[in-house]
PDB file of all heavy atoms in Angstrom:
ATOM      1  N   TYR A 631     -12.500 -18.009 -15.140  1.00 96.00           N
ATOM      2  CA  TYR A 631     -12.531 -18.616 -13.806  1.00 96.00           C
ATOM      3  C   TYR A 631     -11.954 -20.032 -13.811  1.00 96.00           C
ATOM      4  O   TYR A 631     -11.242 -20.411 -12.889  1.00 96.00           O
ATOM      5  CB  TYR A 631     -13.956 -18.608 -13.258  1.00 96.00           C
ATOM      6  CG  TYR A 631     -14.338 -17.276 -12.649  1.00 96.00           C
ATOM      7  CD1 TYR A 631     -15.412 -16.550 -13.120  1.00 96.00           C
ATOM      8  CD2 TYR A 631     -13.614 -16.746 -11.577  1.00 96.00           C
ATOM      9  CE1 TYR A 631     -15.756 -15.314 -12.575  1.00 96.00           C
ATOM     10  CE2 TYR A 631     -13.948 -15.528 -11.020  1.00 96.00           C
ATOM     11  CZ  TYR A 631     -15.022 -14.813 -11.528  1.00 96.00           C
ATOM     12  OH  TYR A 631     -15.342 -13.611 -10.979  1.00 96.00           O
ATOM     13  N   TYR A 632     -12.271 -20.798 -14.840  1.00 96.00           N
ATOM     14  CA  TYR A 632     -11.661 -22.126 -14.925  1.00 96.00           C
ATOM     15  C   TYR A 632     -10.140 -22.027 -15.069  1.00 96.00           C
ATOM     16  O   TYR A 632      -9.394 -22.821 -14.502  1.00 96.00           O
ATOM     17  CB  TYR A 632     -12.253 -22.910 -16.104  1.00 96.00           C
ATOM     18  CG  TYR A 632     -13.503 -23.685 -15.767  1.00 96.00           C
ATOM     19  CD1 TYR A 632     -14.554 -23.781 -16.683  1.00 96.00           C
ATOM     20  CD2 TYR A 632     -13.656 -24.326 -14.547  1.00 96.00           C
ATOM     21  CE1 TYR A 632     -15.713 -24.501 -16.389  1.00 96.00           C
ATOM     22  CE2 TYR A 632     -14.796 -25.045 -14.250  1.00 96.00           C
ATOM     23  CZ  TYR A 632     -15.822 -25.129 -15.168  1.00 96.00           C
ATOM     24  OH  TYR A 632     -16.953 -25.845 -14.859  1.00 96.00           O
ATOM     25  N   ARG A 633      -9.681 -21.039 -15.819  1.00 94.00           N
ATOM     26  CA  ARG A 633      -8.235 -20.884 -15.983  1.00 94.00           C
ATOM     27  C   ARG A 633      -7.582 -20.469 -14.671  1.00 94.00           C
ATOM     28  O   ARG A 633      -6.489 -20.940 -14.323  1.00 94.00           O
ATOM     29  CB  ARG A 633      -7.944 -19.850 -17.058  1.00 94.00           C
ATOM     30  CG  ARG A 633      -8.157 -20.395 -18.463  1.00 94.00           C
ATOM     31  CD  ARG A 633      -7.867 -19.377 -19.518  1.00 94.00           C
ATOM     32  NE  ARG A 633      -7.826 -19.995 -20.844  1.00 94.00           N
ATOM     33  CZ  ARG A 633      -7.781 -19.334 -21.982  1.00 94.00           C
ATOM     34  NH1 ARG A 633      -7.768 -18.014 -21.967  1.00 94.00           N
ATOM     35  NH2 ARG A 633      -7.739 -19.972 -23.135  1.00 94.00           N
ATOM     36  N   MET A 634      -8.221 -19.602 -13.916  1.00 95.00           N
ATOM     37  CA  MET A 634      -7.677 -19.184 -12.621  1.00 95.00           C
ATOM     38  C   MET A 634      -7.690 -20.327 -11.611  1.00 95.00           C
ATOM     39  O   MET A 634      -6.905 -20.334 -10.664  1.00 95.00           O
ATOM     40  CB  MET A 634      -8.484 -18.000 -12.088  1.00 95.00           C
ATOM     41  CG  MET A 634      -8.328 -16.709 -12.886  1.00 95.00           C
ATOM     42  SD  MET A 634      -9.598 -15.491 -12.509  1.00 95.00           S
ATOM     43  CE  MET A 634      -9.268 -15.152 -10.783  1.00 95.00           C
ATOM     44  N   SER A 635      -8.575 -21.301 -11.836  1.00 95.00           N
ATOM     45  CA  SER A 635      -8.647 -22.439 -10.913  1.00 95.00           C
ATOM     46  C   SER A 635      -7.473 -23.398 -11.086  1.00 95.00           C
ATOM     47  O   SER A 635      -7.197 -24.206 -10.201  1.00 95.00           O
ATOM     48  CB  SER A 635      -9.959 -23.180 -11.119  1.00 95.00           C
ATOM     49  OG  SER A 635      -9.946 -23.886 -12.354  1.00 95.00           O
ATOM     50  N   GLY A 636      -6.797 -23.331 -12.232  1.00 93.00           N
ATOM     51  CA  GLY A 636      -5.708 -24.248 -12.502  1.00 93.00           C
ATOM     52  C   GLY A 636      -6.145 -25.627 -12.977  1.00 93.00           C
ATOM     53  O   GLY A 636      -5.323 -26.529 -13.102  1.00 93.00           O
ATOM     54  N   LEU A 637      -7.441 -25.789 -13.240  1.00 94.00           N
ATOM     55  CA  LEU A 637      -7.949 -27.087 -13.705  1.00 94.00           C
ATOM     56  C   LEU A 637      -7.604 -27.296 -15.179  1.00 94.00           C
ATOM     57  O   LEU A 637      -7.639 -26.366 -15.985  1.00 94.00           O
ATOM     58  CB  LEU A 637      -9.462 -27.149 -13.525  1.00 94.00           C
ATOM     59  CG  LEU A 637     -10.008 -27.128 -12.096  1.00 94.00           C
ATOM     60  CD1 LEU A 637     -11.517 -27.082 -12.104  1.00 94.00           C
ATOM     61  CD2 LEU A 637      -9.524 -28.360 -11.316  1.00 94.00           C
ATOM     62  N   SER A 638      -7.281 -28.514 -15.526  1.00 94.00           N
ATOM     63  CA  SER A 638      -7.079 -28.874 -16.921  1.00 94.00           C
ATOM     64  C   SER A 638      -8.428 -29.097 -17.599  1.00 94.00           C
ATOM     65  O   SER A 638      -9.469 -29.174 -16.929  1.00 94.00           O
ATOM     66  CB  SER A 638      -6.223 -30.139 -17.036  1.00 94.00           C
ATOM     67  OG  SER A 638      -6.918 -31.232 -16.463  1.00 94.00           O
ATOM     68  N   VAL A 639      -8.418 -29.193 -18.913  1.00 94.00           N
ATOM     69  CA  VAL A 639      -9.664 -29.444 -19.651  1.00 94.00           C
ATOM     70  C   VAL A 639     -10.265 -30.784 -19.224  1.00 94.00           C
ATOM     71  O   VAL A 639     -11.481 -30.912 -19.047  1.00 94.00           O
ATOM     72  CB  VAL A 639      -9.399 -29.418 -21.178  1.00 94.00           C
ATOM     73  CG1 VAL A 639     -10.675 -29.733 -21.944  1.00 94.00           C
ATOM     74  CG2 VAL A 639      -8.837 -28.063 -21.593  1.00 94.00           C
ATOM     75  N   ALA A 640      -9.393 -31.763 -19.022  1.00 94.00           N
ATOM     76  CA  ALA A 640      -9.882 -33.080 -18.603  1.00 94.00           C
ATOM     77  C   ALA A 640     -10.551 -33.002 -17.234  1.00 94.00           C
ATOM     78  O   ALA A 640     -11.612 -33.619 -16.998  1.00 94.00           O
ATOM     79  CB  ALA A 640      -8.717 -34.080 -18.569  1.00 94.00           C
ATOM     80  N   GLU A 641      -9.966 -32.235 -16.325  1.00 94.00           N
ATOM     81  CA  GLU A 641     -10.543 -32.124 -14.971  1.00 94.00           C
ATOM     82  C   GLU A 641     -11.884 -31.392 -15.017  1.00 94.00           C
ATOM     83  O   GLU A 641     -12.808 -31.726 -14.278  1.00 94.00           O
ATOM     84  CB  GLU A 641      -9.569 -31.390 -14.059  1.00 94.00           C
ATOM     85  CG  GLU A 641      -8.345 -32.239 -13.696  1.00 94.00           C
ATOM     86  CD  GLU A 641      -7.279 -31.442 -12.994  1.00 94.00           C
ATOM     87  OE1 GLU A 641      -7.183 -30.215 -13.254  1.00 94.00           O
ATOM     88  OE2 GLU A 641      -6.545 -32.026 -12.184  1.00 94.00           O
ATOM     89  N   VAL A 642     -11.993 -30.384 -15.896  1.00 94.00           N
ATOM     90  CA  VAL A 642     -13.286 -29.698 -16.028  1.00 94.00           C
ATOM     91  C   VAL A 642     -14.331 -30.655 -16.583  1.00 94.00           C
ATOM     92  O   VAL A 642     -15.486 -30.682 -16.129  1.00 94.00           O
ATOM     93  CB  VAL A 642     -13.124 -28.461 -16.936  1.00 94.00           C
ATOM     94  CG1 VAL A 642     -14.488 -27.860 -17.271  1.00 94.00           C
ATOM     95  CG2 VAL A 642     -12.239 -27.412 -16.264  1.00 94.00           C
TER      96      VAL A 642
END
Side-chain angles (χ1 to χ4, degrees):
Y631 278 121
Y632 272 142
R633 284 180 169 170
M634 292 165 63
S635 71
L637 294 174
S638 64
V639 178
E641 289 170 330
V642 171

